[in-house]
Amino acid sequence: MLEDLYPEVGKLGGLAEALDIEFEKMQSFLRCTIDNTIKNLPFSYARVENKRRFSQIYLAAEEKLYLPDFWRNGVCLAHGKTNSISKLAEVLNYWLTTEATTDLLQDKFQFIKANEKAKAFDENKEVDYTWNLILNDSSQVDIKSFVELAIKDDILSKLFPFTSLTRLCFSRCTGYPYTYDTPIVIPVSKGNYEVRLSNNDIIGTGTALEALKMVKDNLPMNIKSAVAGTAEDL
């Protein structure tokens, strides 16, 4: 029973209530915004947010562990685990009320592990990082000849690329939810690609070079480089 593993949560009825008390103790203005009570679900969940940062917290079922994640601008950058609710509140307060990078976060709290991509996002190099990630992804070989051209293009290389099944998409922001107002590229045979509008209307099919031109010809007017944040921010 989760109530037995987490008595400090169980006696208050939910994780949010327990966390809010810890925030009060440290005189933090933070409060949980979403809570599922420990009695209504097989796990207890809470969310805490401040401006463009938020964290979600889950409870492990087999042992006493609080499992927070750490988001900024729509991107999950780190995860952690601790059996102390006071340490949990401390790390959440640090992440959500400062401009700390993920390097600083995991240096200060040894139970936090930054994701592999976090450094690129900390250094505002996430667009280049993600293009190269797709380019070198062995599971994305069908799209590689297009990516090799797009990554050198003055316009497309500045948009944030992401894949959805076999589709290559482009976003004007680097966090989720992404924008969906640019063309989509789909490999249809070796070296050939179908280009569609975001509403799924087909523009045409051609080689990587021809597909590149179709994409650029159908981009929104005056499109700019992708910015940190989400489609909701734009």
Side-chain angles (χ1 to χ4, degrees), residues 6-221:
Y6 304 91
E8 67 274 34
V9 174
K11 70 181 180 181
L12 294 170
L15 178 56
E17 289 84 352
L19 258 179
D20 284 349
I21 287 177
E22 294 298 321
F23 289 141
E24 288 176 11
K25 289 179 182 176
M26 61 178 20
Q27 298 184 323
S28 170
F29 66 84
L30 293 175
R31 295 295 182 272
C32 295
T33 57
I34 296 177
D35 164 55
N36 295 119
T37 65
I38 199 167
K39 295 183 183 299
N40 292 342
L41 291 172
F43 55 84
S44 190
Y45 165 84
R47 173 175 166 136
V48 195
E49 57 188 83
N50 184 36
K51 298 178 181 177
R52 292 193 171 194
R53 297 186 180 217
F54 71 87
S55 288
Q56 303 170 114
I57 306 95
Y58 300 88
L59 302 183
E62 302 299 327
E63 61 179 312
K64 183 177 181 179
L65 281 177
Y66 296 98
L67 307 171
D69 57 25
F70 301 87
W71 292 70
R72 184 184 65 227
N73 291 322
V75 184
C76 184
L77 299 173
H79 291 82
K81 54 184 179 181
T82 177
N83 60 11
S84 167
I85 195 168
S86 59
K87 282 292 185 182
L88 173 65
E90 184 182 352
V91 70
L92 293 175
N93 187 69
Y94 180 73
W95 176 250
L96 296 170
T97 64
T98 72
E99 295 298 316
T101 63
T102 52
D103 275 347
L104 288 174
L105 181 70
Q106 67 178 357
D107 284 348
K108 184 175 178 66
F109 299 92
Q110 300 302 308
F111 58 90
I112 303 301
K113 176 66 175 176
N115 298 343
E116 185 177 337
K117 63 185 176 183
K119 186 174 180 62
F121 279 83
D122 280 344
E123 297 176 351
N124 299 314
K125 297 177 181 178
E126 62 266 40
V127 173
D128 289 344
Y129 171 86
T130 307
W131 272 112
N132 280 291
L133 195 66
I134 295 173
L135 178 65
N136 295 299
D137 186 346
S138 59
S139 68
Q140 300 290 344
V141 291
D142 291 342
I143 203 74
K144 186 172 182 177
S145 61
F146 178 88
V147 173
E148 287 174 336
L149 293 177
I151 203 170
K152 299 174 183 177
D153 185 81
D154 289 342
I155 297 175
L156 283 189
S157 65
K158 303 299 190 296
L159 299 177
F160 186 79
F162 65 99
T163 56
S164 176
L165 299 177
T166 62
R167 300 179 171 207
L168 178 65
C169 311
F170 315 94
S171 174
R172 294 183 291 110
C173 60
T174 63
Y176 183 84
Y178 303 121
T179 59
Y180 286 91
D181 55 358
T182 58
I184 299 162
V185 179
I186 307 169
V188 291
S189 61
K190 187 174 182 179
N192 286 283
Y193 303 90
E194 181 180 85
V195 180
R196 298 189 181 190
L197 296 174
S198 55
N199 64 6
N200 243 8
D201 287 348
I202 298 175
I203 299 171
T205 303
T207 64
L209 187 59
E210 292 168 335
L212 183 75
K213 184 178 187 306
M214 283 185 269
V215 171
K216 294 180 66 175
D217 287 347
N218 288 275
L219 290 171
M221 292 185 63

